[in-house]
Amino acid sequence: MGYTLNFAAVWRNFDFLLSGLMLSLGLAVVSILIGAVLGLFVAFALLSKSRAAVAPARIYVTVIRNLPILVLVLFAFFALPQMGFRLDKIKSFVLVLSLYSGAYLAEVFRAGLLSIPKGLSEAGMAIGLTSMQIRTSIIAPLMFRNVLPSLSSTIISLFKDTSLAATIAVPELTFAARKINVESFRIVETWMVTSALYVVTCFLIAALMRFVERRLALPR
């Protein structure tokens, strides 16, 4: 119980932690954007009347959602090169997180699509819109508004998942913290500051999503 806190080593390397945080945010943003596009296509496929579209979409979602993301990260980085697919550590992690986020976002978007009244599609057809125009101009914007609360939680969860990139030496926030910890032996201080950075960042993401939700809310 005689431990004395000393943050000097952490403050000296604080720029390294911030650099890792920026990389974590970059990994999350790129992966979520790719995953959102993938998830939207998969969500439409899941609700399609064609079995040829539903079956592969359902297999993809089921497999990815039932595999630990750490297993996927290690498979992409260590196993894919053995099969002839060589990616550097950042690209392999972005690939994994994009596929992982796509599976979860597909279910979020599917729920949002099911909440939209079918009459809106029929109204779009009545005024001569094509199926693609109905999806992009009517269904997708309304669906996005409906899923914003769930989307916020998913984005925060995926940002925290970027910490797993440390297992393959991607220099994001957790990797930076581990490096400072090993070099300074200030275990408590390093992880206190790192935890605070994660908490503050997640709080800001949540605040941003609430702002977007209020801006896009339909007038009552």
Side-chain angles (χ1 to χ4, degrees):
M1 298 297 292
Y3 189 87
T4 302
L5 293 175
N6 183 348
F7 290 91
V10 180
W11 301 140
R12 283 197 304 270
N13 294 280
F14 193 66
D15 58 337
F16 188 42
L17 287 176
L18 289 181
S19 176
L21 176 59
M22 291 301 103
L23 181 55
S24 293
L25 285 169
L27 292 171
V29 169
V30 172
S31 300
I32 289 168
L33 289 176
I34 297 173
V37 174
L38 176 60
L40 188 59
F41 278 107
V42 173
F44 278 118
L46 290 171
L47 298 176
S48 172
K49 296 179 180 179
S50 169
R51 290 187 177 181
V54 173
R58 178 54 59 193
I59 291 171
Y60 161 67
V61 171
T62 301
V63 170
I64 297 297
R65 281 169 60 92
N66 285 283
L67 280 174
I69 186 173
L70 179 57
V71 171
L72 293 172
V73 170
L74 296 176
F75 182 87
F77 188 66
F78 293 109
L80 286 184
Q82 303 297 320
M83 302 165 63
F85 300 98
R86 298 190 178 278
L87 296 172
D88 64 39
K89 54 192 176 184
I90 291 180
K91 289 179 181 178
S92 68
F93 186 78
V94 168
L95 171 65
V96 168
L97 196 59
S98 298
L99 291 173
Y100 192 76
S101 62
Y104 279 86
L105 291 174
E107 289 297 321
V108 172
F109 293 152
R110 184 178 70 86
L113 291 172
L114 289 173
S115 69
I116 297 174
K118 293 183 179 180
L120 292 175
S121 297
E122 296 171 355
M125 295 175 63
I127 62 175
L129 296 179
T130 64
S131 177
M132 182 59 67
Q133 288 173 326
I134 291 171
R135 290 182 176 182
T136 57
S137 302
I138 299 175
I139 296 178
L142 289 174
M143 179 272 298
F144 184 71
R145 287 191 180 99
N146 292 342
V147 303
L148 272 176
S150 299
L151 191 60
S152 176
S153 299
T154 304
I155 289 173
I156 291 172
S157 178
L158 290 169
F159 164 69
K160 291 186 292 184
D161 286 337
T162 60
S163 63
L164 293 171
T167 59
I168 55 173
V170 174
E172 46 70 64
L173 179 54
T174 297
F175 179 87
R178 288 171 58 185
K179 189 172 188 297
I180 294 171
N181 176 40
V182 169
E183 294 176 351
S184 68
F185 298 101
R186 306 309 301 184
I187 300 171
V188 176
E189 296 89 335
T190 300
W191 293 112
M192 283 178 65
V193 173
T194 302
S195 298
L197 287 173
Y198 274 114
V199 170
V200 170
T201 304
C202 289
F203 176 82
L204 293 175
I205 293 172
L208 176 62
M209 294 301 295
R210 284 195 297 270
F211 173 77
V212 173
E213 187 176 350
R214 287 195 299 269
R215 294 284 294 181
L216 296 182
L218 295 174
R220 296 183 181 275

